[in-house]
């Protein structure tokens, strides 16, 4: 279980309910900027430029999460006549912004406004409900386009590799997050929340998202776009205590400070730490770079400081607890007498070799059993290969690339987590996607990419899909889904009530 | 006819434009010099109370990816770097802004988020540098990471 360095940070960069100098920002604030942003992003919009080639370069992007949209945005902006088609497996766009970002972090979803502008650009088309690798191959896309950008992300889950991992009551964070965020493939997860203690393995931002959703007051959650079934399950939840377990120590914790601060301030909860875990941490502070130092200081304060009167009162009223458990590595999920259900987890005690970010956890040989009915493994996402013709580094679970150019595959590019591995906040993905777009435009300009032949683009692909009985969903179809979801949400005081099945999404799109 | 930029975007300036020696725009507006990622200087104006993010958007300044979360303190893409003297005048930083700054590329001791800096007359003529993003060059080079 490697440390989840800024694990799945999409959720970590999102922060909500903070007031700034200008007061608390209402959600609607984003809409005012929306049209203004468009001009800044697309200065050449609709100009018929002929700067690079007389033949219209056609590029397709596989995956419509942040990596796909940021790559498209930069391509459209920096190249005056490139045409970009975005293919998406689901009928709905935006990937982890819709299915990963925590429901109580609506601010980060503001990026959707810019993505929408990109999708509506005159040289951009969205094709949802197209499963690349199954409905159409990467080879066929390469035939139809001058370049193919793979940005389908990391939908797999690293496994713990310990006995008992398959028991009832053990879930991957990916599935659990997908469940409360309405991913169609996680609809039937129905996690059993009928126990007092939940153990989360991993201490990244996804782990903290899960902890927060498990412990948040329902009054907060019911105003978010969390799915109705998840909300109802959380209303009935018996979980009162969440332990967030990591192999290494406080100085190596993988979450970011925003997410930690949210836990510290979560209404109705108090923290429960092990004082001994913080031995020597105060002394280590002085050598840490600012971000790590501030994070560690907040941890220390939470764990060790004597609370003031107000905080004491807050803690006194708390009915739920959470805490980090450091220096512990999962060794076995423990089953009930029938061998079906989770009743606890055996944790191997570790100690650190070395110090700082590079410190390694080694087993001491001791173990500790913790009683719990729910185990959520949040030790990292993982990309899967999509097509045997595309190079794939199975060890690192990324596509081998140089600045987004897939190695030994002219015309193939990658961006996002598929390119770098599943770490970083949304700004990281934005920059890495811009870099890939930059490489692609460079190749078009330098003629490293052959633009001399006319490519048929979506014309031929649409015909292929038709032949195979695949009906794609356009961006305006998505807007129908979007508007139905928002009006259903309005009825129950939520920003959105997500449609939970692909069938219903398509049905609404076709109306 | 004065362009919008010459009068600093003043929408109500027409009534005063009869007094050319005392243009209303330069009276009320605050001048900001941005240094973009290529090192070019771009001069813009904003009204007191506007944030630096507002100025970037209102003036259509082309800083790629700037202000992704639209000023809601949910990202660090409006990160700007200031000179010491200016930085001291910018006022206190909240914990929440610091938390986001901690995730910014090229963080310096005089970094702030543009969405949190409100213009005032005392900041007239300030210089704000847009940091380069370098992270991914590093990531791509380090294949073993």
């Amino acid at each position: 279980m490697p440390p989840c360095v800024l694990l799945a940070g999409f959720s970590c960069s999102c922060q909500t309910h903070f007031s700034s100098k200008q007061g608390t920002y209402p959600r609607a604030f984003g809409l005012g900027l929306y049209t203004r942003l468009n001009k800044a992003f697309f200065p050449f919009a609709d100009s018929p430029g002929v700067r690079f080639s007389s033949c219209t370069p056609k590029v397709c992007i596989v995956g419509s999460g942040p990596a796909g949209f940021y790559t498209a945005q930069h391509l459209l902006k920096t190249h005056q006549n490139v045409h970009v088609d975005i293919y998406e497996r689901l009928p709905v766009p935006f990937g982890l912004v819709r299915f990963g970002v925590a429901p109580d972090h609506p601010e980060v979803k503001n990026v959707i406004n810019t993505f929408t502008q990109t999708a509506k650009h005159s040289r951009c088309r969205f094709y949802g409900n197209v499963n690349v690798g199954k409905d159409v191959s990467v080879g066929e896309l390469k035939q139809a386009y001058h370049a193919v950008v793979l940005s389908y992300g990391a939908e797999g889950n690293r496994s713990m590799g310990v006995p008992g991992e398959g028991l009832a009551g053990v879930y991957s964070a990916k599935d659990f997050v997908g469940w409360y965020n309405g991913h169609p493939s996680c609809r039937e997860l129905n996690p059993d929340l009928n126990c007092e203690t939940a153990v989360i393995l991993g201490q990244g931002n996804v782990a903290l998202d899960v902890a927060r959703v498990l412990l948040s007051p329902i009054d907060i959650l019911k105003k978010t776009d969390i799915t109705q079934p998840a909300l109802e399950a959380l209303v009935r939840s018996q979980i009162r205590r969440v332990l967030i377990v990591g192999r290494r120590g406080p100085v190596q914790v993988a979450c970011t400070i925003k997410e930690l601060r949210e836990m510290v301030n979560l209404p109705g909860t108090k923290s429960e730490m092990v004082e001994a875990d913080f031995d020597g941490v105060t002394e280590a502070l002085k050598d840490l770079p600012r971000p790590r130092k501030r994070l560690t200081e907040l941890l220390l304060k939470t764990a060790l400081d004597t609370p003031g009167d107000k905080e004491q009162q807050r803690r006194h009223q708390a009915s739920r607890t959470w805490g980090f458990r450091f220096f512990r590595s999962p060794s076995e999920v423990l089953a009930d007498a029938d061998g079906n259900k989770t009743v606890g987890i055996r944790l191997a005690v570790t100690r650190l070799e070395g110090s700082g970010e590079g410190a390694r956890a080694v087993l001491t040989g001791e173990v500790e059993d913790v009683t719990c009915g729910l185990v959520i493994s949040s030790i990292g996402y993982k990309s899967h290969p999509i097509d045997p013709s595309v190079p794939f580094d199975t060890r690192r679970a990324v596509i081998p690339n140089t600045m987004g150019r897939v190695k030994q595959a002219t015309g193939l590019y990658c961006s996002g987590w598929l390119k770098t591995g599943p770490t970083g906040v949304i700004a990281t993905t934005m920059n890495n996607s811009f870099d890939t777009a930059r490489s692609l435009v460079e190749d078009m300009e330098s003629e490293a990419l052959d633009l001399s032949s006319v490519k048929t683009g979506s014309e031929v692909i649409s015909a292929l899909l038709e032949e195979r009985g695949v009906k794609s969903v356009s961006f305006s179809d998505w807007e129908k889904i979007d508007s139905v979801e928002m009006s259903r949400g309005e009825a129950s005081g939520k920003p959105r009530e997500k449609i939970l099945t692909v069938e219903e999404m398509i049905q609404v799109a076709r109306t | 006819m004065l362009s919008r930029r010459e009068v600093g975007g003043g929408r109500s300036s027409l009534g005063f434009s009869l007094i050319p020696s005392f243009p209303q725009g330069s009276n009320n507006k605050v001048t900001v010099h941005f240094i973009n990622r290529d090192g070019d200087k771009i001069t813009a104006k904003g009204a007191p109370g506007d944030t630096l993010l507002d100025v970037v958007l209102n003036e259509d300044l082309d800083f790629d990816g700037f202000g992704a979360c639209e000023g809601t303190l949910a990202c660090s893409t409006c990160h700007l770097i200031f000179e010491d003297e200016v930085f001291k005048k910018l006022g206190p930083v909240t914990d929440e802004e610091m938390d986001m700054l901690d995730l910014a590329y090229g963080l310096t001791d005089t970094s702030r988020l543009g969405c949190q800096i409100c213009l005032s007359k005392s900041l007239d003529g300030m210089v704000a540098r847009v940091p380069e993003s370098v992270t991914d060059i590093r990531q791509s080079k380090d294949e073993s990471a």
Side-chain angles (χ1 to χ4, degrees), chain A residues 438-459:
Chain A
R438 220 168 278 136
S439 297
L440 212 171
V441 170
E442 263 172 43
D443 291 352
M444 289 197 254
E445 285 178 308
S446 70
E447 293 174 19
L449 200 60
D450 179 18
L451 299 178
S452 61
S453 55
V454 174
K455 295 282 188 177
T456 45
S458 62
E459 232 173 89

Side-chain angles (χ1 to χ4, degrees), chain A residues 131-449:
Chain A
N131 192 348
V132 172
K134 186 165 162 270
D135 298 335
V136 59
S137 70
V138 172
E140 287 164 336
L141 291 177
K142 282 186 75 178
Q143 286 278 314
Y145 291 89
H146 293 104
V148 176
V149 182
L150 300 170
S151 57
Y152 58 80
E155 61 165 335
N157 206 68
R158 293 172 50 98
S159 66
M160 295 187 284
V162 301
E165 203 168 354
L167 288 172
V170 182
Y171 306 94
S172 72
K174 180 189 85 72
D175 288 344
F176 194 79
V177 169
W179 168 69
Y180 65 64
N181 275 335
H183 196 290
S185 70
C186 306
R187 191 173 61 97
E188 283 163 17
L189 196 73
N190 298 325
D192 183 358
L193 308 180
N194 199 20
C195 59
E196 192 180 304
T197 301
V199 166
I200 302 174
L201 301 160
Q203 298 178 324
N205 285 329
V206 174
L208 266 62
D209 278 350
V210 170
R212 205 175 61 252
V213 167
L214 283 172
L215 295 177
S216 279
I218 294 298
D219 282 348
I220 291 178
L221 292 177
K222 74 181 185 192
K223 293 176 193 142
T224 72
D225 66 2
I226 191 169
T227 67
Q228 200 56 32
L231 187 64
E232 285 163 16
L234 287 162
V235 168
R236 294 189 306 267
S237 165
Q238 296 300 306
I239 291 168
R240 295 291 174 267
R241 180 168 176 251
V242 175
L243 299 178
I244 308 161
V245 175
R247 288 192 314 172
R248 302 195 294 168
V251 183
Q252 290 83 22
V253 73
C255 62
T256 55
I257 188 167
K258 293 197 63 119
E259 303 271 337
L260 175 60
R261 200 182 295 282
E262 277 183 298
M263 282 310 299
V264 172
N265 294 331
L266 190 65
T269 70
K270 63 181 173 188
S271 68
E272 174 209 298
M273 308 275 197
V274 179
E275 257 190 68
D277 284 354
F278 293 84
D279 286 351
V281 172
T282 309
E283 293 71 29
L285 271 181
K286 62 178 191 322
D287 299 322
L288 299 174
R290 170 176 137 179
R292 174 60 73 184
K293 187 176 178 194
R294 292 185 68 246
L295 176 59
T296 310
E297 280 171 344
L298 181 58
L299 260 179
L300 275 170
K301 184 169 177 258
T302 308
L304 305 182
D305 271 16
T306 314
D309 287 350
K310 206 174 145 199
E311 176 62 15
Q312 205 136 38
Q313 197 187 349
R314 200 187 82 90
R315 291 185 192 182
H316 193 68
Q317 288 165 352
S319 59
R320 300 176 174 197
T321 63
W322 64 277
F324 285 115
R325 286 296 175 275
F326 296 105
F327 310 111
R328 296 289 184 275
S329 175
S331 77
E332 184 181 355
V333 182
L334 306 171
D336 63 2
D338 300 333
N340 298 321
K341 219 169 153 251
T342 300
V343 292
I345 186 161
R346 179 158 298 159
L347 300 171
V349 178
T350 67
R351 63 179 169 77
L352 288 188
E353 261 176 17
S355 62
E357 309 280 343
R360 282 168 45 87
V362 292
L363 301 181
T364 62
E366 290 168 66
V367 295
E368 177 195 15
D369 289 352
V370 175
T371 303
C372 66
L374 179 68
V375 171
I376 294 175
S377 138
S378 181
I379 56 172
Y381 288 178
K382 190 179 169 186
S383 292
H384 289 316
I386 197 178
D387 189 301
S389 72
V390 180
F392 194 82
D393 178 342
T394 45
R395 191 180 59 84
R396 295 181 60 218
V398 296
I399 291 183
N401 71 91
T402 312
M403 293 297 280
R405 298 172 179 98
V406 178
K407 285 188 178 168
Q408 286 147 5
T410 311
L412 258 191
Y413 298 80
C414 59
S415 56
W417 282 358
L418 193 54
K419 171 185 174 184
T420 61
T423 60
V425 296
I426 203 158
T428 324
T429 287
M430 184 179 85
N431 280 312
N432 109 30
S433 305
F434 287 175
D435 282 344
T436 294
R438 220 168 278 136
S439 297
L440 212 171
V441 170
E442 263 172 43
D443 291 352
M444 289 197 254
E445 285 178 308
S446 70
E447 293 174 19
L449 200 60

Side-chain angles (χ1 to χ4, degrees), chain A residues 64-90:
Chain A
S64 71
F69 267 108
Y70 279 126
T71 308
Q73 175 184 318
H74 203 78
L75 283 173
L76 291 162
K77 189 191 143 180
T78 49
H79 195 291
Q80 296 182 43
N81 62 346
V82 67
H83 192 102
V84 180
D85 292 333
I86 302 174
Y87 291 95
E88 164 61 49
R89 186 178 54 185
L90 287 167

